Amino acid sequence: APRLHVATAGPEAVRGTFDVVLANLTAPTLEGLAAVLAARRAPDGALVASGFTRAEEPRVRAAFAAVGLAASRPRRDGEWSSIAFRAEISA
């Protein structure tokens, strides 16, 4: 089975789930695609979002929290940010 799947189509055109989903997109695009991207993540997998600024971090976090994903501590490079998301742990 392939270990890496790269697609240039939108995430809604990709079938299946993956251990790691990488999305380097603008904050508005990430917000709009949060549910679709989260659906491509395997149950124990990770989703890494990047391509947004520090100021946009709260919006990106909120979009993925709304679809049940918890954010790790952001990684930053100057003004740019990335965040890894996993399923929220329920009590």
Side-chain angles (χ1 to χ4, degrees), residues 15-87:
R15 301 230 188 280
T17 59
F18 303 90
D19 293 332
V20 179
V21 175
L22 303 173
N24 185 32
L25 303 165
T26 63
T29 304
L30 287 166
E31 291 173 273
L33 292 175
V36 174
L37 292 168
R40 298 299 171 264
R41 185 191 59 82
D44 291 329
L47 187 155
V48 180
S50 62
F52 53 93
T53 65
R54 286 178 163 206
E56 295 168 321
E57 283 176 18
R59 292 176 30 208
V60 172
R61 281 178 179 272
F64 286 98
V67 296
L69 297 182
S72 68
R73 186 174 180 186
R75 291 190 169 250
R76 297 179 177 132
D77 183 6
E79 193 57 31
W80 295 102
S81 294
S82 65
I83 300 175
F85 294 91
R86 291 197 171 273

